[in-house]
């Protein structure tokens, strides 16, 4: 399966938001791997324009079973007005958030101008360790672009995946206003263990808590459910531009369905994953215990060691024998050969 990704953003379908000055974009079609795909990408707003880019992509993995092509349609309107803020990070960049303090993440940015500064410093150190800056920041669960925009501001290459259409729309507008056209590939899809339509639930008070659920769980809360496009982690491997990868994954308890021997071995064997940052709260998220055990085993088999990556435990090696029950924390997985002191 080969889908169209340009050197700027993933661009298949245009959507004009409430603010007519901006266009946002989303992944809308799938093709087969091992075929050359050529596409022309145009990214514009009322005040900026990007050069038309033609990209030829050659897939590198076996074609999967046929996947139906969804009909392009406008993204859903964003619930609430947006506010453009300037972050208090170093370097600074502009970022759209919801203009409402009641939404958890937007409220933090409205009051503080930044979020998860400790993790950003760790990720920055991880990227700086790579020779000549030839590294990609791979952000699975990009949300509003908390980390993706910061890494782009640091002039690193970013591949950012966000499943929720409304959140992706806001993130895309931030990419445009910062003119990060040649730094960020933004993909509107959910990475999971299967391709096709996947149910999700929104959290009206926390844009960062949108999560993949079962069909039954989605049906029980029809006012918050929506359907997203599912792809597999392997589908993105050919489009990561560098061999060295700093991976951040935060998909609300679904991580174990993505990082395991079946779904992630191609990524870990074909790329040098220098570290993996993840929110590790599986029990709180009601994740399947056996699924989490497989993920932990996968890291161990690939010689990765977990460390606490925030709070008072920052930098301490995790020695728990049952991470599902005993760990409720942000975790940084490092190769066993790495010097942990270089990251914290």
């Amino acid at each position: 399966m080969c889908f169209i990704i340009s050197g700027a953003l993933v661009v298949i379908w245009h959507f004009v938001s409430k603010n007519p000055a901006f266009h946002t974009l989303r992944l809308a079609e799938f093709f087969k791997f091992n075929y050359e795909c050529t596409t022309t990408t145009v990214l514009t707003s009322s005040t900026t324009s990007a050069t038309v880019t033609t990209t030829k992509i050659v897939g590198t993995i076996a074609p999967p079973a046929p996947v139906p092509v969804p009909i392009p349609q406008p993204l859903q309107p964003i619930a609430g007005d947006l506010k453009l803020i300037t972050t208090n990070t170093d370097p600074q960049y502009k970022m759209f958030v919801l203009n409402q303090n009641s939404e958890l993440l937007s409220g933090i940015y409205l009051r503080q101008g930044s979020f998860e500064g400790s993790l950003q410093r760790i990720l920055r150190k991880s990227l700086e360790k790579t020779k000549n800056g030839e590294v990609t920041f791979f952000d699975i669960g990009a949300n509003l672009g908390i980390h993706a925009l910061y890494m782009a501001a640091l002039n690193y290459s970013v591949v950012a995946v966000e499943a929720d259409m409304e959140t992706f729309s806001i993130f895309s507008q931030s990419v445009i206003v910062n003119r990060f056209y040649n730094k960020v590939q933004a993909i509107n899809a959910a990475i999971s263990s299967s391709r096709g339509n996947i149910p999700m639930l929104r959290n009206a008070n926390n844009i960062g808590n949108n999560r993949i659920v079962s069909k039954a769980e989605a049906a029980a809360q029809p006012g918050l459910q929506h359907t997203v496009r599912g792809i597999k982690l392997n589908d993105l491997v050919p489009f990561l531009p560098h061999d060295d990868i700093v991976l951040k994954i935060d998909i609300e308890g679904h991580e174990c369905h993505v990082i395991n021997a079946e779904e992630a071995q191609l990524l870990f064997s074909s790329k040098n994953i220098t570290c993996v940052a993840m929110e590790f709260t599986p029990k709180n998220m009601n994740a399947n215990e056996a699924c989490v055990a497989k993920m932990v085993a996968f890291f161990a088999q690939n010689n990765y060691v977990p460390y606490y990556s925030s709070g008072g435990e920052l930098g301490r090696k995790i020695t728990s024998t049952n991470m599902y029950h005993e760990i409720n924390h942000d975790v940084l997985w490092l190769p066993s050969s790495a010097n942990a002191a270089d990251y914290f």
Side-chain angles (χ1 to χ4, degrees), residues 57-69:
I57 300 169
V58 180
T60 58
I61 61 177
V67 178
V69 177

Side-chain angles (χ1 to χ4, degrees), residues 174-187:
S174 296
V175 172
I176 293 168
V177 76
N178 285 286
R179 298 175 179 263
F180 288 158
Y181 304 118
N182 295 317
K183 299 176 183 177
V184 178
Q185 296 184 59
I187 302 166

Side-chain angles (χ1 to χ4, degrees), residues 55-321:
T55 303
K56 180 176 286 189
I57 300 169
V58 180
T60 58
I61 61 177
V67 178
V69 177
I71 299 173
Q73 57 186 348
L75 300 181
Q76 310 227 348
I78 298 167
D81 296 327
L82 299 183
K83 184 170 182 178
L84 182 63
I85 67 163
T86 299
T87 65
N88 65 4
T89 55
D90 180 20
Q92 293 182 312
Y93 53 91
K94 297 184 184 299
M95 182 175 180
F96 280 101
V97 298
L98 292 173
N99 191 20
Q100 55 187 68
N101 278 289
S102 58
E103 195 284 303
L104 179 64
L105 187 56
S106 297
I108 291 172
Y109 270 100
L110 290 170
R111 293 187 300 272
Q112 301 176 8
S114 64
F115 183 62
E116 292 190 339
S118 176
L119 178 56
Q120 287 187 340
R121 287 189 292 274
I122 291 171
L123 293 171
R124 181 174 183 170
K125 286 183 178 181
S126 302
L127 291 160
E128 289 172 345
K129 282 178 60 63
T130 307
K131 186 178 180 180
N132 298 324
E134 294 294 318
V135 58
T136 295
F137 179 63
F138 189 15
D139 190 354
I140 303 175
N143 204 281
L144 294 176
I146 300 164
H147 302 297
L149 294 169
Y150 178 64
M151 302 313 161
L154 289 168
N155 206 34
Y156 287 106
S157 173
V158 176
V159 175
V161 186
E162 172 52 44
D164 184 84
M165 289 189 294
E166 289 187 4
T167 308
F168 179 80
S169 174
I170 302 172
F171 169 42
S172 296
Q173 294 182 43
S174 296
V175 172
I176 293 168
V177 76
N178 285 286
R179 298 175 179 263
F180 288 158
Y181 304 118
N182 295 317
K183 299 176 183 177
V184 178
Q185 296 184 59
I187 302 166
N188 179 210
I191 299 183
S192 187
S193 56
S194 62
R195 302 180 180 94
N197 293 327
I198 294 177
M200 288 192 76
L201 281 181
R202 288 192 173 104
N203 183 331
N205 299 314
N206 182 358
I207 202 168
N209 189 227
N210 300 324
R211 57 194 178 90
I212 295 172
V213 295
S214 66
K215 291 181 179 179
E217 194 174 357
Q221 301 186 63
L224 296 174
Q225 69 163 294
H226 61 120
T227 301
V228 299
R229 190 65 181 165
I231 61 177
K232 303 185 80 169
L233 184 62
N234 287 346
D235 298 337
L236 294 184
V237 172
F239 308 110
L240 297 171
H242 299 107
D243 289 334
D244 286 350
I245 306 294
V246 170
L247 173 61
K248 187 232 90 185
I249 180 168
D250 183 356
I251 48 177
E252 303 302 292
H254 199 69
E255 292 84 0
C256 68
H257 295 276
V258 174
I259 308 296
N260 56 54
E262 290 79 16
E263 303 299 328
Q265 190 58 58
L266 176 64
L267 173 65
F268 279 73
S269 60
S270 61
K271 300 291 184 179
N272 177 32
I273 312 301
T274 63
C275 69
V276 181
M278 67 166 54
E279 181 182 67
F280 192 92
T281 59
K283 193 173 182 181
N284 284 0
M285 296 291 180
N286 295 316
N288 180 277
E289 186 172 354
C291 177
V292 173
K294 285 180 64 176
M295 179 179 71
V296 172
F298 173 77
F299 277 118
Q301 290 158 8
N302 284 274
N303 298 312
Y304 284 80
V305 177
Y307 294 83
Y308 292 104
S309 60
S310 64
E313 303 279 5
L314 179 66
R316 187 167 70 85
K317 183 178 177 180
I318 296 173
T319 57
S320 170
T321 57

